[in-house]
Structure formats: C-alpha cells, structure tokens
C-alpha cells in the first residue's frame, strides 16, 4: 500500500574477525537519494539505509547486490547471520541470511629451529636429531592435520636406525630402506612433539667414517613442508687391537715355525716374507705407532741379532737392544701398508753359531 520505505537495515552478527568482516550494498552507492550509515562493534556490523530514494524497486536492487566478505588470512570458522529489516514506517519486516565460514587448506607446514650438524660416536647411544625443532602451519590446526612425516637417510647402511624415543604419546611409525615414516593424522603440536623424539644410531661394530645426510619433510596431504637437512658426523673410537699373523691368513695359527738357522750360515727370515700380515679391524684412519719383536730365549748376546732389511718411509725409527734381544720400530703407518711391508723384511742372524 506504499511504494517507498522509511529504512532498510542489514545487521551482521557473530563477527569473529573484526574489521576483516564486512557487508556491502554496492548498488546503494549509485542510487539517488539513498544514504548509507555503517556502525561497527566488536561482534556486529550494522548498515542503515535511509532517504526518499528507497522505492520498492530500488530496495530490491540494493538487496540483490548485498555481499559478505571476510578478508582474514585464516578466518574463524562458524556461522554468521545477516538480519535484514525493511520498514515502511508502520510495519517492519525481518528476514535472515545464514552464512557458513569454512576454511581451505592453503598453507604448507613449515619446519624450523634445526641444528644442521650432529655427531654420533661409534658404539655410543642414540642421538637426538631434532630436539628443538618447530613445526608451524597457518591453517586451522584443529581441522587440517599433519598426515605424515618422512625422515630419510641418504644411501643408508644395513645397521643404521632411525626411531622415536620412548616416553611420549603413542605414535605409529614404520622404518624401512633407510626411511622412518611417522604416521598421522596428528595435530601440529603432536607432530612437533614426535619429531623432537627423533633419534639416530649406527649399530655397526665398525661404522663407516663417512658423514650421513638425513632429510625431513612433513605433509598435510595437500602441501609438503620445506625440507630440512641434517648432517651426522661419525666420531670413530680406537677400540680394536692390532693382529700380527707371521705366516699369513691361509696357514693355520699366527706363528712361524719354518725358520732354520745353520751354524755359520746366512741370516734367515724370521717370518714368512710373502704372507705375513698386520691388520687392525678399526674403521677410519687409525695408524699404528710402534711395534717390537724379541728373541724370547736368546743365548749368544751381541752375536744374536734381529733386524729389518728395509722399512716403509713412514717408519721413522728402527732400534735393536742386544741386552734383551729386542727390535723396535716406531712411526705412524697403516697396518696394511708400512707395518706389513716392514715386518716382512724381518730377519735373524747369529754370527757365533
């Protein structure tokens, strides 16, 4: 019964993201004789339209262009309500529009705060790889969960192990072919806690001295995190005794019983010069420093001698003490190199026999 309205109000309630949430009526900006006033509070927004230009067709066109916008990077999930009130001066009419704010998984997880170099000591305990790692994801943590993490050893060796330490929440893991997989779904905080329990060890008796390269990546199914790289240096220990085999590995035992010295004859080899070996089971570059050989039951004093016909350049000192029939060699040399070649030239003589 009346072609013009006194006012139109659009009232947005349930606002969670402050000024990021807006409602607009673009057509009102071009409609003649229409005034728009905006009033905002902490949890609501009110648009009031007044003026003689509020004819029914104009109001219809204005409402058809009404929009809701939320520009928050990660809006609070939930429902917003827009209440529309039109008033002709006598009988206000109310209608509502319900808007569901739903999230999208549009951010990748981010790993940080990593010590890029760790050290494992041979035969030592497991070491922690990521004790203070941080995991962040700007998406809604309660909705988009971490689905898995993969921790991979490049060129893994048979006795290398990745695991999670005990004491934390029960987390499903699998380890195969040098890769530890932490299975989700887990919250960001739970996945971070799991990664902080990550441990490494090489259980080999004599591990390789080479550095290990380990990579870590987390996935929320839609996005992979940045990859972090960890270098594990292996500190070797000298825990194996050298072994001298005077007659070579093919013969039984390690002694040499074939030397026969004939009275007034030529000097004789005290070892099997073609087969003798000196070995050390330690891995790494541990060098032998000295060695000695003695005649256990020498009887002819200065006339009975042990000597080497030649030695490796790394053997820096060769001495013989007739008082106790002892030959001593000193110098830093490898077991398979300098020491083996030097002892193969060990001979004995007895001028008075």
């Amino acid at each position: 019964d009346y072609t013009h309205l006194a006012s139109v109000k659009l009232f947005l309630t349930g606002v969670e993201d402050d000024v990021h949430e807006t409602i607009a009526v673009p057509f009102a900006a071009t409609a003649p004789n229409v005034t728009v006033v905006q009033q905002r509070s902490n949890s609501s927004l009110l648009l009031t339209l007044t003026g003689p230009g509020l004819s029914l067709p104009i109001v219809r066109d204005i409402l058809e262009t009404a929009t809701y916008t939320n520009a928050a990077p990660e809006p609070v999930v939930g429902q917003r309500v827009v209440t529309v009130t039109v008033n002709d001066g006598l009988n206000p009419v109310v209608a509502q529009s319900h808007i569901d704010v739903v999230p999208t998984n549009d951010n990748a997880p981010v790993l940080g705060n990593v010590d890029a170099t760790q050290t494992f000591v041979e035969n030592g305990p497991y070491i922690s790889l990521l004790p203070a790692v941080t995991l962040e994801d700007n998406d809604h943590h309660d909705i988009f969960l971490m689905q898995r993490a993969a921790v991979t050893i490049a060129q893994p060796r048979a006795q290398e192990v990745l695991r999670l330490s005990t004491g934390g929440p029960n987390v499903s893991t699998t380890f195969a072919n040098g890769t530890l997989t932490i299975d989700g779904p887990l919250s960001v905080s739970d996945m971070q806690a799991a990664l902080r329990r990550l441990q490494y060890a090489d259980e080999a008796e004599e591990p390789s001295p080479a550095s290990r390269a380990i990579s870590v990546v987390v996935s929320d199914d839609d996005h992979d995190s940045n990859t972090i790289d960890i270098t594990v240096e292996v500190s070797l220990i000298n825990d194996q005794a050298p072994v001298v085999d005077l007659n070579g590995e093919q013969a039984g035992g390690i002694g040499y019983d074939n030397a026969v010295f004939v009275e007034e004859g030529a000097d004789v080899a005290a070892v099997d010069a073609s087969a003798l070996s000196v070995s050390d089971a330690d891995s790494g570059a541990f060098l032998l420093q000295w060695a000695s050989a003695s005649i256990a039951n020498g009887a002819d004093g200065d006339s009975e001698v042990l000597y080497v016909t030649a030695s490796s350049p790394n053997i820096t000192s060769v001495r013989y003490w007739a008082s106790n029939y002892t030959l001593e060699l000193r110098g830093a040399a490898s077991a398979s190199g300098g020491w083996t070649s030097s002892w193969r030239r060990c001979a004995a003589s007895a001028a008075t026999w």
Side-chain angles (χ1 to χ4, degrees), residues 282-319:
D282 276 314
S283 55
F286 293 112
L287 300 178
L288 303 186
Q289 303 298 316
W290 65 271
S292 67
S294 299
I295 302 173
N297 55 350
D300 293 309
D302 293 347
S303 299
E304 201 166 1
V305 179
L306 285 174
Y307 66 94
V308 289
T309 57
S311 65
S312 165
N314 293 323
I315 306 302
T316 58
S317 172
V318 179
R319 300 179 64 186

Side-chain angles (χ1 to χ4, degrees), residues 97-256:
S97 175
H98 296 84
I99 302 168
D100 291 321
V101 177
V102 296
T104 59
N105 188 3
D106 57 351
N107 288 288
V110 178
L111 291 165
N113 197 33
V114 175
D115 188 346
T117 303
Q118 303 285 353
T119 299
F120 173 76
V121 178
E122 175 186 346
N123 297 332
Y126 279 75
I127 61 170
S128 295
L129 294 180
L130 300 170
V133 69
T134 57
L135 175 63
E136 299 177 354
D137 190 328
N138 288 331
D139 285 311
H140 295 77
H141 290 184
D142 56 338
I143 299 175
F144 300 111
L145 301 177
M146 303 296 103
Q147 299 301 318
R148 73 194 60 82
V151 186
T152 302
I153 305 171
Q155 300 178 331
R157 293 163 176 82
Q159 292 177 280
E160 290 184 289
V161 180
L162 291 168
R163 71 179 189 185
L164 299 187
S165 65
T166 59
N170 187 27
V171 177
S172 174
T173 63
T174 55
F175 180 65
N177 302 318
T179 295
L180 177 72
T181 301
I182 304 173
D183 300 312
L186 295 172
S187 68
V188 171
S189 59
D190 285 348
M191 181 62 81
Q192 175 181 274
L195 290 173
R196 289 183 175 183
R197 294 164 52 199
L198 179 63
Q199 294 184 322
Y200 166 86
D202 188 332
E203 297 181 342
E205 177 62 30
E206 294 297 328
S208 166
S211 298
R212 313 300 199 263
I214 300 176
S215 62
V216 183
V217 64
V218 176
S219 174
D220 63 11
D221 259 356
D222 291 319
H223 306 281
D224 289 343
S225 72
N226 57 311
T227 299
I228 57 174
D229 297 310
I230 305 166
T231 298
V232 176
E233 303 291 351
V234 178
S235 177
L236 302 178
I237 59 175
N238 189 1
D239 59 348
Q240 302 283 351
V243 175
V244 178
D245 189 341
L246 300 182
N247 63 1
E249 297 178 357
Q250 302 303 317
I254 61 173
Y256 183 64

